[in-house]
């Protein structure tokens, strides 16, 4: 491996707790296109290359393999546990069994505790891995404030025990946040949301910042390799827009690098994923040099076009109209 990045050169973001964490992490969702061995191999290379934050999830089906990589890195002295910021998530079918889910992830990841534990989706609506986009679980139901708060407070109890350092939420909306935040015993430290140049979610982003909750952007490159079930004819390819190509040419880089530079200057923590060394190392290097200008940021801000790529159809409940009901687009929680 060449062009290693000194982790000290990667800028930091500060959570409301005062904890400083890397401004970029490595995603690990690739189960639809890559094997667990390929993903864990990329994690191993990323640790050697200078990454110190990793975004995992039980439902990705690769935490055990990634845990072996973490353990090997600890044993070799490449990193210590406190050098890594490890994030994972409780899956929908474990909302009533958070302790069991979290303990299993900690055991699989071989990490003693997790630095951030997210509620992956605000619904307990389960779907089988690799299911078709038209699949529906008849037991699915609309969002429940009380059920969400119960799940969250189970994590809060684990935080008191030291198994969880920070609590995260994910795939939320402003109406849902308005409903639950006053009821939580401890404020979330971060919120994962789909965020890329053609889907900037600025209103939600600004809401989170105002509340002191760090936005963590998934699919920061517009996820050109997302599962085919999530692809629709109307989707926009962010990196193929003329603006992104022009700015990339001016900087002498791939448009993906511009997307990450935008994310950094925008204020989110992006979590790009790749199993290819040249790509994930280029991604990390993007945060250490050649920032975008204010004029370039202004140009990119105009690319917003409501290009939601993760629509969540498989979480719909009986009686829901379509995936728009998941996202409370009219300003209220759809029941």
């Amino acid at each position: 491996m060449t062009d290693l990045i000194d982790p000290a050169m990667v800028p930091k973001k500060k959570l409301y707790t005062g904890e400083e964490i890397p401004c970029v992490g490595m995603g690990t969702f690739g189960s639809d296109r890559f094997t667990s061995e390929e993903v864990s191999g990329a994690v191993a290379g990323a640790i050697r290359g200078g990454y110190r934050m990793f975004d995992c999830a039980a439902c990705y089906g690769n935490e055990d393999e990634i845990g072996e990589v973490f353990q090997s890195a600890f044993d070799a002295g490449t990193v210590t546990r406190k050098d890594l910021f490890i994030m994972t998530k409780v899956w929908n079918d474990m909302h009533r069994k958070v302790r069991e889910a979290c303990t299993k992830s900690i055991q699989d990841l071989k990490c003693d505790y997790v630095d951030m534990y997210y509620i992956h989706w605000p619904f307990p609506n389960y779907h089988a891995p690799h299911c078709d986009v038209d699949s529906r679980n008849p037991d699915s139901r609309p969002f429940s404030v009380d059920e969400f708060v119960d799940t969250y407070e189970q994590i809060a109890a684990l935080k008191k025990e030291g198994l969880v350092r920070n609590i995260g939420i994910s795939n939320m909306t402003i109406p849902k946040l308005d409903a639950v935040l006053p009821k939580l015993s401890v404020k979330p430290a971060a919120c994962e949301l789909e965020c890329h140049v053609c889907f900037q979610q600025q209103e939600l982003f600004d809401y989170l910042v105002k509340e002191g909750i760090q936005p963590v952007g998934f699919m920061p490159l517009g996820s050109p390799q997302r599962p085919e079930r999530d692809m629709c004819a109307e989707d926009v390819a962010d990196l193929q827009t003329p603006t992104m190509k022009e700015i990339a040419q001016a900087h002498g880089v791939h448009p993906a690098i511009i997307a990450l530079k935008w994310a950094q200057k925008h204020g989110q923590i992006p979590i790009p994923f790749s199993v290819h060394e040249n790509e994930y190392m280029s991604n990390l290097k993007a945060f250490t040099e050649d920032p975008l200008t204010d004029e370039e940021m202004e140009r990119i801000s105009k690319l917003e076009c409501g290009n939601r790529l993760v629509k969540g159809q498989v979480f719909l409940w009986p009686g829901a109209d379509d995936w728009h009901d998941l996202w409370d687009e009219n300003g209220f929680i759809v029941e």
Side-chain angles (χ1 to χ4, degrees):
M1 178 179 288
T2 58
D3 296 327
L4 303 183
I5 303 298
D6 181 353
M9 296 294 293
V10 179
K12 302 289 194 298
K13 296 286 290 184
K14 184 178 287 188
L15 302 177
Y16 80 84
T17 60
E19 183 174 5
E20 290 191 335
I21 61 176
C23 72
V24 59
M26 184 179 195
T28 59
F29 173 56
S31 56
D32 285 76
R33 296 185 183 273
F34 303 100
T35 66
S36 296
E37 290 72 24
E38 287 175 305
V39 175
S40 61
V43 170
I47 292 174
R48 293 192 299 270
Y51 280 85
R52 293 296 179 261
M53 176 186 286
F54 295 91
D55 181 69
C56 307
C59 77
Y60 298 167
N62 55 23
E63 288 194 324
D64 194 31
E65 291 81 1
I66 291 171
E68 294 292 342
V69 168
F70 289 157
Q71 188 64 62
S72 294
F74 300 150
D75 292 344
T78 307
V79 291
T80 65
R81 173 63 188 91
K82 66 180 180 61
D83 291 330
L84 298 185
F85 195 90
I86 299 173
M87 309 190 291
T88 188
K89 312 173 187 76
V90 60
W91 186 234
N92 303 4
D93 60 341
M94 299 298 285
H95 279 201
R96 309 275 71 81
K97 302 177 181 179
V98 173
R99 178 180 295 276
E100 179 182 340
C102 185
T103 301
K104 176 70 160 56
S105 283
I106 289 172
Q107 291 173 345
D108 286 346
L109 291 168
K110 298 173 178 58
C111 59
D112 298 329
Y113 61 90
V114 291
D115 296 280
M116 185 83 72
Y117 198 55
Y118 292 93
I119 301 176
H120 202 151
W121 282 85
F123 312 95
N125 302 346
Y126 173 76
H127 70 79
H130 312 296
C131 71
D132 184 84
V133 71
D134 294 322
S135 297
R136 299 288 183 269
N137 185 331
D139 296 327
S140 295
R141 53 189 184 271
F143 176 77
S144 164
V145 172
D146 290 342
E147 288 187 352
F148 183 91
V149 171
D150 175 79
T151 301
Y152 189 95
E153 292 304 319
Q154 291 178 62
I155 303 177
L158 299 178
K159 183 178 187 297
K160 288 182 179 179
E161 297 177 25
L163 293 177
V164 170
R165 296 291 178 88
N166 298 278
I167 307 176
I169 53 181
S170 181
N171 294 301
M172 293 290 280
T173 65
I174 291 175
K176 291 182 176 70
L177 289 164
D178 280 340
V180 303
L181 286 181
K183 298 177 179 292
L184 305 180
S185 62
V186 58
K187 185 168 70 175
C191 179
E192 286 200 5
L193 68 159
E194 181 181 339
C195 197
H196 43 95
V197 298
C198 291
F199 190 60
Q200 300 177 20
Q201 297 213 77
Q202 195 62 49
E203 185 179 6
L204 175 57
F205 189 97
D206 291 344
Y207 180 106
L208 295 171
V209 171
K210 182 179 179 180
E211 292 291 334
I213 302 170
Q214 173 61 50
V216 176
F218 64 81
M219 303 178 82
L221 308 181
S223 194
Q225 292 190 320
R226 65 191 181 279
E228 288 187 12
R229 66 173 181 269
D230 289 330
M231 294 184 178
C232 297
E234 66 269 22
D235 293 344
V236 177
D238 296 41
L239 305 185
Q240 297 301 314
T241 59
T243 295
M244 293 298 286
K245 288 183 174 181
E246 290 166 9
I247 297 175
Q249 184 176 18
H251 287 257
V253 296
H254 190 279
I257 301 304
I258 301 305
L260 294 175
K261 290 180 183 295
W262 170 81
Q264 178 185 10
K265 195 161 184 174
H266 187 231
Q268 65 187 270
I269 295 175
I271 42 175
F273 165 74
S274 176
V275 299
H276 305 295
E277 180 181 303
N278 65 313
E279 292 179 352
Y280 62 71
M281 289 308 301
S282 293
N283 291 346
L284 185 60
K285 188 178 181 182
F287 294 84
T288 67
E289 62 182 17
D290 191 25
L292 299 183
T293 66
D294 291 343
E295 186 270 337
E296 288 168 334
M297 291 294 291
E298 177 64 21
R299 290 181 64 192
I300 293 174
S301 73
K302 296 175 182 177
L303 293 178
E304 166 61 44
C305 60
N307 185 40
R308 185 185 291 278
L309 301 177
V310 175
K311 299 172 178 65
Q313 298 98 318
V314 292
F315 302 122
L316 288 171
W317 53 89
D321 289 335
D322 60 25
W323 62 265
H324 293 280
D325 284 355
L326 296 166
W327 302 106
D328 308 331
E329 294 173 349
N330 293 322
F332 56 87
I333 297 172
V334 177
E335 298 180 353

